[in-house]
Amino acid sequence: MPKNAPESSLVGEEYEVEVGPVAHGGHCIARTAEGRVLFVRHALPGERVVARVTEGDETSRFLRADAVTVLDPSKDRIEAPCPYAGPGRCGGCDWQHAKPGAQRRLKGEVVAEQLRRLAGLTPEEAGWDGTVVPVEGDKLPAGEVPAWRTRVQYAIDADGRAGLRKHRSHEVQPIDRCLIAAPGVSELGVENRDWPGMASVEAIAATGSQDRQVVLTPRPGARLPLVELDKPVSVLRVEEKDGGVHRVHGRAFVRERADDRTYRVGNGGFWQVHPKAADTLVRAVMQGLLPRKGDTALDLYCGAGLFAGALADRVGDQGAVLGIESGKRAVEDARHNLQHFDRVRVEQGKVEQVLPRTGITEVDIIVLDPPRAGAGKQTVRHLASLGARRIAYVACDPAALARDIAYFAETGYRVRTLRAFDLFPMTHHVECVAILEPAAKGS
């Protein structure tokens, strides 16, 4: 047992187990001979493994564990391409040990299970064929890793070395290269220099421009180092007092490209991490909504205005788009990005507070791309009351999506189609686009 562990702790205990189905969160479920539930990482369904407990005690509802020895491997298992993947190492990737096709099947099983458990829907009832679709260029042979991550937040250890955090830990795994980092991130060489006094360094490589940026978060009282990287880069700093992001030198923003439009994204603000994600999601949303000239539309949790811009293009001068976003800088970016559209407005604030104040009582189409927690019952009820003929729900968390789909069902909306995209290869994350419509249309 590790030092300082409570007497009832089971950390370090090992169990030989048969691995069961995949679960939401990048692990599989197993049971010990005594019936204890284990959430096992680095395992695959059907394997027999020795699992070492990493979290939990005698009173825990379940234990977390790592598969430290594989006794009977799955046919889907490969040797992890990344030397930092595996028990006790980097927590960034969940499925390096699985063939790419198997990773997508596992993600599909998770989405299906969340739909069944939280929304009471089969894939067929959700208009989904059960597949998780790879993005063009990411379908690689086993053992090869797509370099897709255009934004990487490196943690800095006490010695100033850059790395990534271990799973569910503040401990830093120093690395010399992240395999899933996009070329524009890797070429900065963040891992090859020391970062004294820094807590984290986020590296950003824009899609569709050569803009590169690092966002430095100093430890309390630390001075900013002189930043000399392998490529030209803008530098931003997170202030200790207010958490605000301020420009040190270079541009305060990067230019991203999607749907034949350039978007300014400032101060390390949110943008889809996969270089093809923005175009992939815009295409899926517009194919599902089928906007018409003259439509009124909402873009909720609109960020820098990606979907609002795409909607504005398609509803034309007679249509109108309202975006709502809580982040002050993101709203400034959205207003800048959409300034050429006379019939687009962007309001700042939380959706559940701003939307009722607008006085809007009906709209034609809605896009919502909420944070990981989902939109929630109150917001779903308000949206349903607006009578939109179609609603596009973009979701990075299948559990939140399924919960909100159930709330929509209570208000008379059904899922017309659902599509799932593998925009985060090697991790357990999956992006879904659900198109909803009034249930009466589908009857």
Side-chain angles (χ1 to χ4, degrees):
M1 186 183 298
K3 275 188 210 174
N4 305 323
E7 282 187 26
S8 64
S9 173
L10 293 172
V11 173
E13 292 289 324
E14 293 186 356
Y15 299 94
E16 186 176 317
V17 294
E18 194 87 33
V19 180
V22 65
H24 185 27
H27 50 254
C28 297
I29 298 173
R31 287 183 183 271
T32 68
E34 301 78 32
R36 290 186 183 280
V37 175
L38 297 178
F39 287 172
V40 187
R41 280 174 61 81
H42 312 293
L44 293 172
E47 293 186 326
R48 189 154 195 85
V49 304
V50 175
R52 182 182 296 151
V53 176
T54 56
E55 285 183 46
D57 58 34
E58 297 280 1
T59 65
S60 302
R61 281 194 309 116
F62 59 84
L63 306 174
R64 295 185 184 275
D66 285 340
V68 292
T69 305
V70 180
L71 304 171
D72 186 9
S74 163
K75 63 178 174 53
D76 290 323
R77 177 174 284 277
I78 59 170
E79 185 175 346
C82 177
Y84 305 108
R89 292 179 222 148
C90 173
C93 291
D94 307 289
W95 299 120
Q96 288 261 352
H97 59 287
K99 293 177 181 176
Q103 293 183 35
R104 293 190 287 272
R105 286 198 303 276
L106 291 170
K107 295 182 189 192
E109 288 171 18
V110 168
V111 174
E113 197 269 339
Q114 297 300 310
L115 286 172
R116 179 192 60 76
R117 188 168 64 85
L118 298 173
L121 295 176
T122 65
E124 293 77 17
E125 288 168 334
W128 177 43
D129 64 6
T131 62
V132 175
V133 181
V135 176
E136 180 189 350
D138 280 357
K139 201 167 182 180
L140 298 173
E144 293 187 33
V145 176
W148 57 270
R149 194 171 186 94
T150 61
R151 292 169 179 238
V152 177
Q153 182 147 14
Y154 296 92
I156 309 300
D157 70 10
D159 296 322
R161 295 176 301 176
L164 298 168
R165 296 203 186 277
K166 298 182 179 182
H167 182 61
R168 294 175 62 83
S169 170
H170 292 295
E171 194 176 344
V172 178
Q173 166 71 66
I175 64 171
D176 56 17
R177 184 186 170 207
C178 175
L179 290 187
I180 65 171
V185 168
S186 296
E187 67 188 12
L188 292 177
V190 171
E191 307 98 326
N192 302 327
R193 61 153 292 165
D194 292 331
W195 298 94
M198 296 300 101
S200 70
V201 176
E202 183 179 14
I204 298 170
T207 300
S209 76
Q210 291 300 309
D211 294 349
R212 304 290 180 263
Q213 191 175 79
V214 294
V215 183
L216 306 180
T217 303
R219 296 183 188 277
R223 296 181 61 181
L224 219 58
L226 181 66
V227 177
E228 292 180 347
L229 292 171
D230 296 344
K231 294 283 181 178
V233 64
S234 298
V235 179
L236 280 64
R237 171 194 175 119
V238 177
E239 292 296 337
E240 185 181 334
K241 289 180 182 176
D242 59 5
V245 182
H246 301 279
R247 184 178 69 88
V248 177
H249 70 75
R251 286 196 184 99
F253 59 87
V254 295
R255 293 163 297 177
E256 301 282 3
R257 186 87 183 154
D259 195 40
D260 295 326
R261 181 174 298 281
T262 297
Y263 289 84
R264 184 185 83 181
V265 182
N267 289 15
F270 175 79
W271 186 261
Q272 290 290 340
V273 179
H274 193 292
K276 295 186 179 175
D279 275 328
T280 297
L281 294 174
V282 166
R283 192 160 48 245
V285 165
M286 297 304 140
Q287 286 172 351
L289 287 180
L290 297 175
R292 302 168 186 166
K293 296 294 184 186
D295 273 348
T296 55
L298 294 178
D299 178 13
L300 307 180
Y301 318 93
C302 72
L306 172 65
F307 295 115
L311 288 166
D313 269 336
R314 290 158 176 83
V315 303
D317 294 339
Q318 300 306 307
V321 181
L322 171 66
I324 301 177
E325 165 59 40
S326 62
K328 182 179 178 183
R329 180 57 202 246
V331 168
E332 291 174 6
D333 286 337
R335 287 172 177 165
H336 171 85
N337 294 331
L338 305 171
Q339 62 184 308
H340 302 298
F341 294 108
D342 294 334
R343 304 268 290 164
V344 175
R345 192 167 97 246
V346 181
E347 299 287 345
Q348 185 195 345
K350 293 183 177 179
V351 168
E352 63 271 23
Q353 295 171 355
V354 173
L355 189 55
R357 292 204 302 263
T358 63
I360 293 172
T361 56
E362 58 181 332
V363 296
D364 296 305
I365 50 178
I366 298 170
V367 182
L368 65 156
D369 185 3
R372 195 165 297 282
K377 195 168 195 172
Q378 176 188 343
T379 297
V380 166
R381 283 183 169 173
H382 192 140
L383 296 182
S385 74
L386 301 178
R389 70 171 182 271
R390 286 199 181 169
I391 299 172
Y393 189 127
V394 182
C396 61
D397 184 275
L401 172 65
R403 279 194 298 271
D404 284 345
I405 284 174
Y407 297 145
F408 272 113
E410 293 172 4
T411 66
Y413 274 79
R414 66 185 275 275
V415 185
R416 175 185 173 88
T417 60
L418 187 146
R419 299 171 71 185
F421 300 96
D422 192 18
L423 300 182
F424 312 92
M426 303 291 146
T427 79
H428 75 271
H429 298 289
V430 59
E431 196 87 7
C432 296
V433 176
I435 304 298
L436 298 105
E437 66 180 8
K441 288 189 178 179
S443 59

